[in-house]
Amino acid sequence: MDFKGQVAVVTGAGRGIGQAIAESLAGLGVDIAVVDLSADDAGTVARALSDKGVKAVPVVADVSDADSVKEMFGTVVKEFGRLDILVNNAGITRDALLLRMKEEDWDSVMDVNLKSVFLCSKEAVKIMAKQRYGRIVNIASVVAFMGNPGQANYSASKAGIVGLTKTIAREYASRGITSNAVAPGFIMTAMTEKLPDNVRDEMLKSIPMGKLGTVQDVAAAVVFLASPEAGYVTGQVVHVNGGMYM
Ligand code: NAP
């Protein structure tokens, strides 16, 4: 895959899946804007990527906030002068059963997981459309397709991402911009470490491969969809879940 001269924005790249995506792209020579809420995490990841010989700039932003997102893309244009790849990865959980779920937990998950994809894609498309080239990759989840008790907000936000991904694909295919999603199953990160042992054991029973995925499993799918070679793939969801949903 030839990523020469390309620039990527990866949101939520301060740890977990986003960090792995940023590392994989940087390993292929892509310059990276490392976007995160935490200045410390973004700075640490950007320094490590710079050591690989690419340009990596930490950008502190709240992707659920329109002004913050605008400022972030302003920084990207100033620092890099172009944008080829946007990976909308930042996400949170605020789990509770429907009857116990607070309205603020519904709203914050919707804002960080779904509204962010709208805000960031809108800014990215302005730049990509002028270049007549772009790759947008959104991180959804297997629960968008299966539902999950305790995750009404999260599964709805991720299902929303799938509809948004397909709509952007249809609207901007003619400008050379592709829009796809990756739907991870259960991946070993801080997000899944919080799960109690009994929930984790039950989960493993539902995965034909009998193990959780790794952040690198997800990053590999993102790298393909972000590559120039995936130019005829758009509006698709790639499932990375060890067979738990097929
Ligand atoms: P994670 O370890 O919790 O990392 C999420 C990252 O997003 C953190 O660096 C966090 O920053 C950042 N973030 C959160 N809110 C943000 C905001 N408003 N603006 C900017 N950055 C923000 O999560 P992960 O497991 O790597 O998950 C990454 C993505 O994969 C998420 O979209 C998640 O829904 C999805 N996913 C994960 C799994 C899984 O099994 N882990 C499965 C399916 C889908 P701070 O550290 O500063 O809070």
Side-chain angles (χ1 to χ4, degrees), residues 10-21 35-39 41-42 59-65 68-69 72 88-94 108 111-113 116 138-143 154 157-158 161 182-195 203 212-213 215 218 240:
V10 183
T11 71
R15 59 182 156 93
I17 292 171
Q19 180 181 359
I21 292 167
V35 177
D36 208 87
L37 271 181
S38 153
D41 290 350
V59 185
V60 177
D62 176 354
V63 291
S64 66
D65 179 86
S68 184
V69 167
M72 157 188 144
N88 284 306
N89 164 80
I92 58 168
T93 52
R94 295 286 181 272
S108 57
D111 286 352
V112 176
N113 294 7
S116 65
N138 300 321
I139 307 302
S141 168
V142 68
V143 303
Y154 183 80
S157 72
K158 295 299 186 179
I161 285 179
V182 172
F186 289 103
I187 308 298
M188 283 178 281
T189 68
M191 199 176 257
T192 42
E193 256 168 35
K194 286 187 262 176
L195 294 169
M203 212 158 67
L212 299 190
V215 291
V218 180
V240 181

Short mmCIF file of all heavy atoms in Angstrom, two decimals, residues 10-21 35-39 41-42 59-65 68-69 72 88-94 108 111-113 116 138-143 154 157-158 161 182-195 203 212-213 215 218 240, ligand 1:
data_model
loop_
_atom_site.label_atom_id
_atom_site.label_comp_id
_atom_site.label_asym_id
_atom_site.label_seq_id
_atom_site.Cartn_x
_atom_site.Cartn_y
_atom_site.Cartn_z
N VAL A 10 -6.46 11.14 13.43
CA VAL A 10 -7.02 10.01 14.16
C VAL A 10 -7.54 10.55 15.49
O VAL A 10 -6.77 11.07 16.31
CB VAL A 10 -5.98 8.90 14.41
CG1 VAL A 10 -6.64 7.70 15.11
CG2 VAL A 10 -5.33 8.45 13.11
N THR A 11 -8.86 10.45 15.70
CA THR A 11 -9.42 10.97 16.96
C THR A 11 -9.37 9.89 18.04
O THR A 11 -9.44 8.69 17.75
CB THR A 11 -10.88 11.46 16.77
OG1 THR A 11 -11.74 10.34 16.58
CG2 THR A 11 -11.02 12.42 15.60
N GLY A 12 -9.22 10.34 19.28
CA GLY A 12 -9.11 9.39 20.39
C GLY A 12 -7.86 8.54 20.25
O GLY A 12 -7.85 7.36 20.59
N ALA A 13 -6.78 9.18 19.74
CA ALA A 13 -5.55 8.43 19.45
C ALA A 13 -4.60 8.36 20.65
O ALA A 13 -3.50 7.84 20.55
CB ALA A 13 -4.83 9.04 18.25
N GLY A 14 -5.05 8.87 21.80
CA GLY A 14 -4.18 8.90 22.97
C GLY A 14 -3.99 7.54 23.62
O GLY A 14 -3.07 7.34 24.41
N ARG A 15 -4.86 6.61 23.31
CA ARG A 15 -4.69 5.24 23.85
C ARG A 15 -5.58 4.27 23.06
O ARG A 15 -6.29 4.66 22.14
CB ARG A 15 -5.00 5.18 25.33
CG ARG A 15 -6.41 5.60 25.72
CD ARG A 15 -6.54 5.54 27.24
NE ARG A 15 -7.57 6.39 27.76
CZ ARG A 15 -8.83 6.02 27.99
NH1 ARG A 15 -9.21 4.79 27.74
NH2 ARG A 15 -9.71 6.86 28.49
N GLY A 16 -5.50 3.01 23.44
CA GLY A 16 -6.41 1.99 22.91
C GLY A 16 -6.35 1.80 21.40
O GLY A 16 -5.28 1.84 20.79
N ILE A 17 -7.52 1.61 20.82
CA ILE A 17 -7.62 1.32 19.39
C ILE A 17 -7.08 2.49 18.55
O ILE A 17 -6.36 2.29 17.56
CB ILE A 17 -9.09 0.99 19.02
CG1 ILE A 17 -9.51 -0.34 19.67
CG2 ILE A 17 -9.29 0.93 17.52
CD1 ILE A 17 -11.00 -0.67 19.56
N GLY A 18 -7.41 3.71 18.96
CA GLY A 18 -6.95 4.89 18.21
C GLY A 18 -5.44 4.97 18.17
O GLY A 18 -4.85 5.29 17.12
N GLN A 19 -4.80 4.69 19.29
CA GLN A 19 -3.33 4.70 19.33
C GLN A 19 -2.76 3.66 18.35
O GLN A 19 -1.82 3.95 17.61
CB GLN A 19 -2.85 4.41 20.75
CG GLN A 19 -1.34 4.40 20.87
CD GLN A 19 -0.85 4.09 22.29
OE1 GLN A 19 -1.65 3.89 23.21
NE2 GLN A 19 0.44 4.06 22.47
N ALA A 20 -3.37 2.47 18.34
CA ALA A 20 -2.88 1.41 17.45
C ALA A 20 -3.07 1.79 15.98
O ALA A 20 -2.20 1.50 15.14
CB ALA A 20 -3.61 0.10 17.74
N ILE A 21 -4.18 2.45 15.68
CA ILE A 21 -4.43 2.89 14.30
C ILE A 21 -3.37 3.93 13.90
O ILE A 21 -2.78 3.86 12.81
CB ILE A 21 -5.85 3.49 14.17
CG1 ILE A 21 -6.90 2.40 14.35
CG2 ILE A 21 -6.03 4.20 12.82
CD1 ILE A 21 -8.33 2.92 14.55
N VAL A 35 -5.25 13.27 17.82
CA VAL A 35 -6.29 14.05 18.49
C VAL A 35 -6.77 13.32 19.74
O VAL A 35 -7.09 12.13 19.68
CB VAL A 35 -7.49 14.28 17.54
CG1 VAL A 35 -8.61 15.03 18.26
CG2 VAL A 35 -7.04 15.03 16.30
N ASP A 36 -6.80 14.05 20.86
CA ASP A 36 -7.30 13.45 22.10
C ASP A 36 -7.74 14.53 23.07
O ASP A 36 -7.32 15.68 22.96
CB ASP A 36 -6.23 12.55 22.74
CG ASP A 36 -6.85 11.43 23.56
OD1 ASP A 36 -7.15 10.38 22.99
OD2 ASP A 36 -7.06 11.62 24.78
N LEU A 37 -8.55 14.14 24.03
CA LEU A 37 -8.94 15.06 25.11
C LEU A 37 -7.75 15.33 26.02
O LEU A 37 -7.60 16.41 26.57
CB LEU A 37 -10.03 14.40 25.97
CG LEU A 37 -11.49 14.58 25.63
CD1 LEU A 37 -12.34 13.85 26.67
CD2 LEU A 37 -11.89 16.04 25.56
N SER A 38 -6.92 14.31 26.20
CA SER A 38 -5.80 14.41 27.14
C SER A 38 -4.54 14.89 26.42
O SER A 38 -4.03 14.22 25.51
CB SER A 38 -5.57 13.03 27.78
OG SER A 38 -4.23 12.91 28.17
N ALA A 39 -4.02 16.05 26.88
CA ALA A 39 -2.79 16.60 26.29
C ALA A 39 -1.61 15.66 26.55
O ALA A 39 -0.76 15.46 25.69
CB ALA A 39 -2.51 17.98 26.88
N ASP A 41 -1.63 12.31 26.98
CA ASP A 41 -1.68 11.11 26.13
C ASP A 41 -1.35 11.45 24.68
O ASP A 41 -0.58 10.75 24.01
CB ASP A 41 -3.07 10.46 26.20
CG ASP A 41 -3.32 9.80 27.56
OD1 ASP A 41 -2.37 9.69 28.35
OD2 ASP A 41 -4.48 9.40 27.82
N ALA A 42 -1.96 12.54 24.18
CA ALA A 42 -1.70 12.92 22.78
C ALA A 42 -0.22 13.21 22.58
O ALA A 42 0.38 12.80 21.58
CB ALA A 42 -2.55 14.13 22.40
N VAL A 59 -2.91 17.13 19.03
CA VAL A 59 -3.95 18.16 18.96
C VAL A 59 -4.99 17.85 20.03
O VAL A 59 -5.65 16.81 19.98
CB VAL A 59 -4.64 18.19 17.57
CG1 VAL A 59 -5.63 19.35 17.49
CG2 VAL A 59 -3.62 18.28 16.44
N VAL A 60 -5.08 18.76 21.00
CA VAL A 60 -6.07 18.55 22.07
C VAL A 60 -7.41 19.11 21.61
O VAL A 60 -7.51 20.28 21.24
CB VAL A 60 -5.61 19.23 23.38
CG1 VAL A 60 -6.67 19.07 24.46
CG2 VAL A 60 -4.29 18.64 23.83
N ALA A 61 -8.42 18.24 21.57
CA ALA A 61 -9.75 18.69 21.12
C ALA A 61 -10.81 17.80 21.72
O ALA A 61 -10.58 16.63 22.00
CB ALA A 61 -9.82 18.64 19.59
N ASP A 62 -11.98 18.42 21.92
CA ASP A 62 -13.18 17.65 22.30
C ASP A 62 -13.99 17.48 21.03
O ASP A 62 -14.58 18.44 20.52
CB ASP A 62 -13.97 18.43 23.35
CG ASP A 62 -15.27 17.73 23.72
OD1 ASP A 62 -15.61 16.71 23.09
OD2 ASP A 62 -15.95 18.22 24.65
N VAL A 63 -14.03 16.26 20.51
CA VAL A 63 -14.65 16.04 19.19
C VAL A 63 -16.18 16.17 19.22
O VAL A 63 -16.81 16.14 18.17
CB VAL A 63 -14.25 14.67 18.59
CG1 VAL A 63 -12.78 14.66 18.19
CG2 VAL A 63 -14.58 13.52 19.52
N SER A 64 -16.75 16.30 20.42
CA SER A 64 -18.20 16.48 20.50
C SER A 64 -18.59 17.97 20.47
O SER A 64 -19.77 18.30 20.51
CB SER A 64 -18.75 15.84 21.78
OG SER A 64 -18.26 16.52 22.92
N ASP A 65 -17.59 18.83 20.39
CA ASP A 65 -17.84 20.28 20.46
C ASP A 65 -17.47 20.93 19.11
O ASP A 65 -16.33 20.83 18.65
CB ASP A 65 -16.98 20.86 21.59
CG ASP A 65 -17.15 22.35 21.72
OD1 ASP A 65 -18.08 22.78 22.41
OD2 ASP A 65 -16.35 23.09 21.08
N SER A 68 -14.47 23.36 19.03
CA SER A 68 -13.21 22.64 19.23
C SER A 68 -12.80 21.89 17.95
O SER A 68 -11.63 21.86 17.57
CB SER A 68 -13.40 21.67 20.41
OG SER A 68 -12.22 21.01 20.72
N VAL A 69 -13.80 21.31 17.29
CA VAL A 69 -13.51 20.55 16.05
C VAL A 69 -13.02 21.50 14.95
O VAL A 69 -12.06 21.20 14.24
CB VAL A 69 -14.77 19.76 15.60
CG1 VAL A 69 -14.62 19.24 14.18
CG2 VAL A 69 -15.03 18.61 16.56
N MET A 72 -9.54 22.43 15.67
CA MET A 72 -8.65 21.27 15.44
C MET A 72 -8.31 21.13 13.95
O MET A 72 -7.15 20.95 13.58
CB MET A 72 -9.39 20.04 15.95
CG MET A 72 -8.98 18.73 15.39
SD MET A 72 -10.23 17.57 16.04
CE MET A 72 -10.40 16.50 14.68
N ASN A 88 -12.49 8.45 12.53
CA ASN A 88 -13.35 8.85 13.65
C ASN A 88 -13.42 7.69 14.64
O ASN A 88 -14.23 6.77 14.49
CB ASN A 88 -14.75 9.18 13.13
CG ASN A 88 -14.81 10.52 12.44
OD1 ASN A 88 -14.42 11.54 13.01
ND2 ASN A 88 -15.28 10.53 11.20
N ASN A 89 -12.53 7.75 15.63
CA ASN A 89 -12.38 6.63 16.57
C ASN A 89 -12.83 6.97 17.98
O ASN A 89 -13.23 6.08 18.73
CB ASN A 89 -10.91 6.18 16.57
CG ASN A 89 -10.58 5.33 17.77
OD1 ASN A 89 -10.87 4.12 17.80
ND2 ASN A 89 -10.00 5.93 18.81
N ALA A 90 -12.76 8.26 18.38
CA ALA A 90 -13.05 8.62 19.79
C ALA A 90 -14.43 8.10 20.18
O ALA A 90 -15.39 8.22 19.42
CB ALA A 90 -12.98 10.13 19.97
N GLY A 91 -14.53 7.53 21.35
CA GLY A 91 -15.82 7.01 21.80
C GLY A 91 -15.82 6.77 23.29
O GLY A 91 -14.76 6.61 23.91
N ILE A 92 -17.02 6.79 23.87
CA ILE A 92 -17.17 6.52 25.31
C ILE A 92 -18.34 5.59 25.54
O ILE A 92 -19.19 5.40 24.66
CB ILE A 92 -17.42 7.83 26.12
CG1 ILE A 92 -18.68 8.56 25.61
CG2 ILE A 92 -16.21 8.74 26.08
CD1 ILE A 92 -19.16 9.69 26.52
N THR A 93 -18.38 5.00 26.74
CA THR A 93 -19.57 4.25 27.18
C THR A 93 -20.09 4.88 28.47
O THR A 93 -19.30 5.41 29.27
CB THR A 93 -19.23 2.77 27.48
OG1 THR A 93 -18.12 2.73 28.37
CG2 THR A 93 -18.91 1.99 26.22
N ARG A 94 -21.40 4.85 28.65
CA ARG A 94 -22.04 5.23 29.92
C ARG A 94 -23.18 4.22 30.08
O ARG A 94 -24.33 4.51 29.78
CB ARG A 94 -22.62 6.66 29.86
CG ARG A 94 -21.61 7.76 29.71
CD ARG A 94 -20.82 8.03 31.01
NE ARG A 94 -19.88 9.13 30.82
CZ ARG A 94 -18.64 9.01 30.36
NH1 ARG A 94 -18.16 7.81 30.05
NH2 ARG A 94 -17.86 10.06 30.23
N SER A 108 -24.52 12.40 26.41
CA SER A 108 -23.06 12.48 26.27
C SER A 108 -22.54 11.39 25.32
O SER A 108 -21.64 11.65 24.51
CB SER A 108 -22.35 12.42 27.63
OG SER A 108 -22.70 11.27 28.31
N ASP A 111 -23.32 12.50 21.81
CA ASP A 111 -22.46 13.62 21.39
C ASP A 111 -21.04 13.16 21.06
O ASP A 111 -20.48 13.53 20.03
CB ASP A 111 -22.40 14.69 22.50
CG ASP A 111 -23.70 15.48 22.58
OD1 ASP A 111 -24.57 15.30 21.70
OD2 ASP A 111 -23.85 16.27 23.53
N VAL A 112 -20.46 12.35 21.95
CA VAL A 112 -19.07 11.95 21.72
C VAL A 112 -18.96 10.89 20.60
O VAL A 112 -18.04 10.93 19.79
CB VAL A 112 -18.41 11.41 23.03
CG1 VAL A 112 -17.00 10.90 22.75
CG2 VAL A 112 -18.40 12.48 24.10
N ASN A 113 -19.92 9.97 20.55
CA ASN A 113 -19.78 8.87 19.59
C ASN A 113 -20.34 9.20 18.21
O ASN A 113 -19.77 8.77 17.20
CB ASN A 113 -20.49 7.62 20.10
CG ASN A 113 -19.84 7.05 21.35
OD1 ASN A 113 -18.94 7.65 21.92
ND2 ASN A 113 -20.31 5.90 21.78
N SER A 116 -19.88 13.68 16.96
CA SER A 116 -18.47 13.91 16.61
C SER A 116 -18.18 13.48 15.18
O SER A 116 -17.40 14.13 14.47
CB SER A 116 -17.57 13.13 17.56
OG SER A 116 -17.76 11.74 17.36
N ASN A 138 -14.86 5.20 9.99
CA ASN A 138 -15.54 5.41 11.28
C ASN A 138 -15.54 4.12 12.09
O ASN A 138 -15.79 3.04 11.55
CB ASN A 138 -16.98 5.85 11.02
CG ASN A 138 -17.03 7.14 10.22
OD1 ASN A 138 -16.21 8.04 10.45
ND2 ASN A 138 -17.95 7.24 9.27
N ILE A 139 -15.28 4.25 13.39
CA ILE A 139 -15.26 3.06 14.24
C ILE A 139 -16.65 2.88 14.85
O ILE A 139 -17.07 3.66 15.72
CB ILE A 139 -14.17 3.15 15.33
CG1 ILE A 139 -12.80 3.44 14.69
CG2 ILE A 139 -14.13 1.83 16.12
CD1 ILE A 139 -12.31 2.44 13.65
N ALA A 140 -17.34 1.86 14.37
CA ALA A 140 -18.68 1.52 14.89
C ALA A 140 -18.50 0.46 15.98
O ALA A 140 -17.56 0.51 16.77
CB ALA A 140 -19.57 1.06 13.75
N SER A 141 -19.37 -0.54 15.98
CA SER A 141 -19.26 -1.63 16.97
C SER A 141 -20.21 -2.75 16.57
O SER A 141 -21.25 -2.50 15.95
CB SER A 141 -19.64 -1.14 18.37
OG SER A 141 -19.79 -2.25 19.24
N VAL A 142 -19.86 -3.95 16.99
CA VAL A 142 -20.74 -5.10 16.74
C VAL A 142 -22.12 -4.88 17.37
O VAL A 142 -23.13 -5.36 16.87
CB VAL A 142 -20.08 -6.40 17.25
CG1 VAL A 142 -19.99 -6.42 18.78
CG2 VAL A 142 -20.81 -7.64 16.76
N VAL A 143 -22.18 -4.10 18.46
CA VAL A 143 -23.47 -3.94 19.15
C VAL A 143 -24.44 -3.07 18.35
O VAL A 143 -25.64 -3.07 18.63
CB VAL A 143 -23.31 -3.40 20.60
CG1 VAL A 143 -22.42 -4.31 21.42
CG2 VAL A 143 -22.83 -1.97 20.63
N TYR A 154 -25.16 3.54 23.71
CA TYR A 154 -23.96 3.19 22.93
C TYR A 154 -24.34 2.48 21.62
O TYR A 154 -23.85 2.83 20.54
CB TYR A 154 -23.07 2.31 23.79
CG TYR A 154 -21.75 1.92 23.17
CD1 TYR A 154 -20.67 2.80 23.18
CD2 TYR A 154 -21.56 0.67 22.60
CE1 TYR A 154 -19.45 2.45 22.62
CE2 TYR A 154 -20.35 0.30 22.04
CZ TYR A 154 -19.29 1.19 22.06
OH TYR A 154 -18.09 0.83 21.50
N SER A 157 -25.88 4.88 19.21
CA SER A 157 -24.89 5.80 18.62
C SER A 157 -24.09 5.10 17.53
O SER A 157 -23.78 5.68 16.49
CB SER A 157 -23.95 6.36 19.70
OG SER A 157 -23.03 5.37 20.16
N LYS A 158 -23.76 3.84 17.77
CA LYS A 158 -22.94 3.11 16.79
C LYS A 158 -23.76 2.73 15.56
O LYS A 158 -23.25 2.71 14.44
CB LYS A 158 -22.32 1.87 17.44
CG LYS A 158 -21.31 2.19 18.54
CD LYS A 158 -20.13 3.00 18.01
CE LYS A 158 -19.04 3.21 19.04
NZ LYS A 158 -17.90 3.97 18.49
N ILE A 161 -23.85 5.70 13.43
CA ILE A 161 -22.61 5.85 12.66
C ILE A 161 -22.70 5.09 11.33
O ILE A 161 -22.23 5.57 10.29
CB ILE A 161 -21.39 5.36 13.48
CG1 ILE A 161 -21.05 6.37 14.57
CG2 ILE A 161 -20.18 5.10 12.59
CD1 ILE A 161 -19.88 5.98 15.47
N VAL A 182 -15.59 0.39 10.41
CA VAL A 182 -15.10 -0.87 10.96
C VAL A 182 -15.91 -1.13 12.23
O VAL A 182 -16.05 -0.22 13.06
CB VAL A 182 -13.59 -0.78 11.28
CG1 VAL A 182 -13.11 -2.02 12.04
CG2 VAL A 182 -12.79 -0.63 9.99
N ALA A 183 -16.45 -2.34 12.34
CA ALA A 183 -17.25 -2.67 13.53
C ALA A 183 -16.50 -3.72 14.35
O ALA A 183 -16.58 -4.92 14.07
CB ALA A 183 -18.62 -3.21 13.09
N PRO A 184 -15.76 -3.27 15.37
CA PRO A 184 -15.04 -4.24 16.20
C PRO A 184 -16.02 -5.00 17.09
O PRO A 184 -17.07 -4.48 17.49
CB PRO A 184 -14.12 -3.37 17.07
CG PRO A 184 -14.14 -2.00 16.45
CD PRO A 184 -15.46 -1.88 15.77
N GLY A 185 -15.64 -6.23 17.42
CA GLY A 185 -16.35 -6.99 18.44
C GLY A 185 -15.76 -6.59 19.79
O GLY A 185 -15.59 -5.39 20.07
N PHE A 186 -15.40 -7.56 20.62
CA PHE A 186 -14.81 -7.22 21.91
C PHE A 186 -13.29 -7.25 21.79
O PHE A 186 -12.70 -8.27 21.48
CB PHE A 186 -15.33 -8.16 22.99
CG PHE A 186 -16.76 -7.86 23.31
CD1 PHE A 186 -17.78 -8.67 22.84
CD2 PHE A 186 -17.12 -6.73 24.04
CE1 PHE A 186 -19.11 -8.38 23.09
CE2 PHE A 186 -18.45 -6.43 24.30
CZ PHE A 186 -19.45 -7.26 23.83
N ILE A 187 -12.70 -6.10 22.06
CA ILE A 187 -11.26 -5.89 21.85
C ILE A 187 -10.63 -5.58 23.21
O ILE A 187 -11.23 -4.86 24.02
CB ILE A 187 -11.04 -4.70 20.88
CG1 ILE A 187 -11.85 -4.87 19.59
CG2 ILE A 187 -9.56 -4.50 20.59
CD1 ILE A 187 -11.54 -6.07 18.74
N MET A 188 -9.43 -6.09 23.42
CA MET A 188 -8.75 -5.84 24.71
C MET A 188 -8.27 -4.39 24.80
O MET A 188 -7.28 -4.02 24.17
CB MET A 188 -7.54 -6.77 24.83
CG MET A 188 -7.91 -8.19 25.19
SD MET A 188 -6.43 -9.22 25.26
CE MET A 188 -6.16 -9.54 23.54
N THR A 189 -9.00 -3.56 25.53
CA THR A 189 -8.59 -2.17 25.79
C THR A 189 -9.10 -1.78 27.17
O THR A 189 -9.81 -2.56 27.82
CB THR A 189 -9.21 -1.17 24.78
OG1 THR A 189 -10.61 -1.11 25.01
CG2 THR A 189 -8.93 -1.51 23.35
N ALA A 190 -8.82 -0.52 27.56
CA ALA A 190 -9.31 -0.01 28.84
C ALA A 190 -10.83 -0.11 28.92
O ALA A 190 -11.40 -0.35 29.99
CB ALA A 190 -8.86 1.44 29.02
N MET A 191 -11.49 0.04 27.75
CA MET A 191 -12.96 0.02 27.71
C MET A 191 -13.51 -1.35 28.15
O MET A 191 -14.50 -1.44 28.85
CB MET A 191 -13.43 0.35 26.29
CG MET A 191 -14.85 0.81 26.19
SD MET A 191 -15.28 1.28 24.48
CE MET A 191 -15.24 3.04 24.57
N THR A 192 -12.84 -2.43 27.72
CA THR A 192 -13.32 -3.77 28.06
C THR A 192 -12.72 -4.30 29.37
O THR A 192 -13.26 -5.23 29.96
CB THR A 192 -13.03 -4.76 26.90
OG1 THR A 192 -11.72 -4.52 26.41
CG2 THR A 192 -14.03 -4.62 25.78
N GLU A 193 -11.61 -3.68 29.80
CA GLU A 193 -11.02 -4.08 31.10
C GLU A 193 -11.99 -3.85 32.25
O GLU A 193 -11.94 -4.53 33.26
CB GLU A 193 -9.74 -3.27 31.35
CG GLU A 193 -8.47 -4.06 31.11
CD GLU A 193 -7.26 -3.14 31.09
OE1 GLU A 193 -7.25 -2.15 31.84
OE2 GLU A 193 -6.34 -3.43 30.29
N LYS A 194 -12.87 -2.85 32.07
CA LYS A 194 -13.82 -2.49 33.14
C LYS A 194 -14.87 -3.58 33.37
O LYS A 194 -15.55 -3.58 34.37
CB LYS A 194 -14.58 -1.20 32.74
CG LYS A 194 -13.77 0.06 32.83
CD LYS A 194 -14.65 1.30 32.57
CE LYS A 194 -14.54 1.79 31.15
NZ LYS A 194 -15.36 2.87 30.72
N LEU A 195 -15.00 -4.52 32.41
CA LEU A 195 -16.08 -5.51 32.51
C LEU A 195 -15.83 -6.51 33.64
O LEU A 195 -14.70 -6.99 33.80
CB LEU A 195 -16.19 -6.30 31.19
CG LEU A 195 -16.64 -5.50 29.97
CD1 LEU A 195 -16.45 -6.32 28.70
CD2 LEU A 195 -18.10 -5.09 30.12
N MET A 203 -19.20 -13.50 27.46
CA MET A 203 -18.87 -12.92 26.16
C MET A 203 -18.01 -13.87 25.33
O MET A 203 -18.26 -14.12 24.15
CB MET A 203 -18.07 -11.65 26.43
CG MET A 203 -18.25 -10.57 25.46
SD MET A 203 -17.77 -9.07 26.28
CE MET A 203 -16.12 -9.18 26.53
N LEU A 212 -10.73 -12.54 22.90
CA LEU A 212 -10.96 -11.15 22.54
C LEU A 212 -10.02 -10.77 21.40
O LEU A 212 -8.97 -11.40 21.22
CB LEU A 212 -10.70 -10.23 23.74
CG LEU A 212 -11.54 -10.42 25.00
CD1 LEU A 212 -11.30 -9.26 25.96
CD2 LEU A 212 -13.02 -10.51 24.67
N GLY A 213 -10.41 -9.74 20.67
CA GLY A 213 -9.53 -9.25 19.61
C GLY A 213 -8.47 -8.33 20.17
O GLY A 213 -8.55 -7.89 21.32
N VAL A 215 -6.02 -4.69 19.53
CA VAL A 215 -6.14 -3.38 18.86
C VAL A 215 -5.53 -3.44 17.46
O VAL A 215 -5.99 -2.77 16.54
CB VAL A 215 -5.49 -2.26 19.70
CG1 VAL A 215 -6.29 -2.01 20.96
CG2 VAL A 215 -4.04 -2.56 20.05
N VAL A 218 -8.01 -4.54 14.75
CA VAL A 218 -8.87 -3.45 14.27
C VAL A 218 -8.06 -2.52 13.35
O VAL A 218 -8.53 -2.12 12.28
CB VAL A 218 -9.46 -2.65 15.45
CG1 VAL A 218 -10.35 -1.53 14.94
CG2 VAL A 218 -10.24 -3.57 16.37
N VAL A 240 -14.89 -6.93 12.55
CA VAL A 240 -13.66 -7.52 13.12
C VAL A 240 -14.05 -8.04 14.49
O VAL A 240 -13.97 -7.33 15.50
CB VAL A 240 -12.54 -6.46 13.22
CG1 VAL A 240 -11.26 -7.07 13.78
CG2 VAL A 240 -12.26 -5.81 11.85
P1 NAP B 1 -10.60 3.88 25.03
O1 NAP B 1 -9.43 3.05 25.41
O2 NAP B 1 -11.54 4.34 26.09
O3 NAP B 1 -10.05 5.17 24.23
C1 NAP B 1 -10.93 6.16 23.77
C2 NAP B 1 -10.11 7.39 23.44
O4 NAP B 1 -11.03 8.41 23.00
C3 NAP B 1 -9.39 7.95 24.67
O5 NAP B 1 -8.09 8.31 24.31
C4 NAP B 1 -10.23 9.17 25.04
O6 NAP B 1 -9.51 10.25 25.60
C5 NAP B 1 -10.72 9.62 23.68
N1 NAP B 1 -11.90 10.47 23.80
C6 NAP B 1 -13.01 10.23 24.55
N2 NAP B 1 -13.85 11.25 24.44
C7 NAP B 1 -13.27 12.15 23.60
C8 NAP B 1 -13.66 13.44 23.12
N3 NAP B 1 -14.82 13.99 23.46
N4 NAP B 1 -12.82 14.10 22.29
C9 NAP B 1 -11.63 13.56 21.95
N5 NAP B 1 -11.21 12.35 22.37
C10 NAP B 1 -12.03 11.67 23.20
O7 NAP B 1 -11.50 3.17 23.93
P2 NAP B 1 -11.15 2.03 22.86
O8 NAP B 1 -11.55 0.74 23.43
O9 NAP B 1 -9.80 2.23 22.31
O10 NAP B 1 -12.26 2.38 21.76
C11 NAP B 1 -11.98 3.16 20.61
C12 NAP B 1 -13.20 3.14 19.71
O11 NAP B 1 -13.53 1.78 19.38
C13 NAP B 1 -14.45 3.72 20.37
O12 NAP B 1 -15.22 4.42 19.40
C14 NAP B 1 -15.21 2.49 20.83
O13 NAP B 1 -16.58 2.74 20.93
C15 NAP B 1 -14.88 1.53 19.71
N6 NAP B 1 -15.05 0.13 20.06
C16 NAP B 1 -14.30 -0.45 21.06
C17 NAP B 1 -14.48 -1.78 21.35
C18 NAP B 1 -13.69 -2.48 22.42
O14 NAP B 1 -13.96 -3.65 22.65
N7 NAP B 1 -12.73 -1.83 23.04
C19 NAP B 1 -15.42 -2.52 20.65
C20 NAP B 1 -16.16 -1.92 19.65
C21 NAP B 1 -15.95 -0.59 19.36
P3 NAP B 1 -9.29 10.32 27.20
O15 NAP B 1 -8.39 9.19 27.53
O16 NAP B 1 -8.66 11.64 27.42
O17 NAP B 1 -10.66 10.21 27.81
#
